[in-house]
Every structure is written in structure tokens, then in C-alpha cells.
Amino acid sequence: MKQLYIGIDPDVTKSGVAAWEKDLRRFRMIETMCLGDLIGYMEDHKHEIALVVVEAGFLNKGNRHTFKGQSVAAAAKTGENVGRNHQRGMDIVEILEWMKIPYRLQKPITPNKWKDDAAYFKTITGWHGKTNPEKRDAAMLVFGL
């Protein structure tokens, strides 16, 4: 029986990736990976993967990322970056389909205290390695499955 659950928080440069071992009820790894490394990891562990959960911000109805006092240029750059990350998520889904790896899309969970609070994340998961918001988001997609 396949027991590995992978959470992915897509990003253009390095996506947050976490591998949850259901039978052992622990994380095997929580890292960031470029797309090539992510594809390699999926290929190497394909026989173990029960499900990949991909954070899918592109499922949100509105994507306004403007702030009071922000310039038009800054708002445009933020929109460009968000759009690129959404496209990376769609690319990852296309790769999973091509590799015939089961996946599920997950809208971003908000609010999420674990994303901004590493100590809180460590308390609830027991993970003691270094994390960042992308790693923690990926981990929480599969924690406890």
C-alpha cells in the first residue's frame, strides 16, 4: 500500500515540498525544490506516492494584491509574480497527470498561523528542521493525512 503523501506550495524559483509518511505519522522531508529537482523526486518515489496535494491559488475567484499607497508599477509587479506562481502550479499539475501520479488541488488556507510562525509549526508537527513559509505551507497540506 502506498503511504507517501506529498504537499507542494508552487513557486517559480523554488517550491515548498513536504513528504508525509502516513504509516510512520511523520515527515520524511520538508524542503524547497526547483522544478527539475521536484520532477526527479516524483520520478524516484513514484512507486510510494499515494497522493500529491498541490496548493492552487489559481482556484481563488479574485487575485487583487494591492495595498493602500502602493504604486501602479508595484501592483503590476505583484500581479505578474502571482500569475507566474499560478502558472507554475498548473505546470506541476500537468506533470503529475503525465506521470500518472494521483493529485488533489487545495485552495490556500487562510488564515494560517503556521505559515508565519515557525515555533507554532514546530509545536503542532514536531518537525525540528529549518523551515520557511513555503515549506510550512507545503507541509500543512499533507500533515496528518
Side-chain angles (χ1 to χ4, degrees), residues 1-142:
M1 177 185 247
K2 296 181 178 185
Q3 294 284 321
L4 193 60
Y5 290 78
I6 308 292
I8 302 174
D9 180 15
D11 189 84
V12 173
T13 53
K14 286 195 170 192
S15 297
V17 182
W20 175 258
E21 295 176 304
K22 182 177 183 171
D23 54 339
L24 300 176
R25 308 225 20 97
R26 68 176 178 94
F27 287 106
R28 178 182 291 180
M29 67 86 176
I30 301 175
E31 298 180 16
T32 56
M33 295 182 186
C34 67
L35 185 59
D37 290 341
L38 177 60
I39 293 169
Y41 187 86
M42 295 296 169
E43 187 63 38
D44 290 347
H45 299 281
K46 184 178 177 179
H47 64 284
E48 298 176 83
I49 299 173
L51 181 70
V52 176
V53 181
V54 181
E55 186 175 72
F58 53 86
L59 294 177
N60 289 339
K61 289 190 178 192
N63 280 312
R64 296 190 186 259
H65 292 80
T66 57
F67 306 98
K68 187 175 183 175
Q70 185 180 36
S71 72
V72 172
K77 186 64 177 170
T78 299
E80 177 185 348
N81 291 339
V82 169
R84 291 178 70 213
N85 283 344
H86 288 181
Q87 183 59 53
R88 179 52 48 103
M90 290 183 251
D91 294 342
I92 290 169
V93 167
E94 185 176 344
I95 291 164
L96 293 170
E97 288 175 350
W98 180 77
M99 295 176 85
K100 296 181 176 34
I101 296 175
Y103 69 91
R104 177 178 51 125
L105 300 177
Q106 172 68 52
K107 280 185 175 184
I109 300 166
T110 56
N112 53 19
K113 184 176 177 180
W114 65 81
K115 185 170 188 167
D116 296 322
D117 189 339
Y120 178 73
F121 174 81
K122 290 177 183 182
T123 298
I124 61 174
T125 65
W127 182 260
H128 294 289
K130 288 186 178 184
T131 63
N132 64 25
E134 291 75 25
K135 291 178 183 181
R136 293 190 291 271
D137 253 0
M140 294 310 292
L141 291 168
V142 293

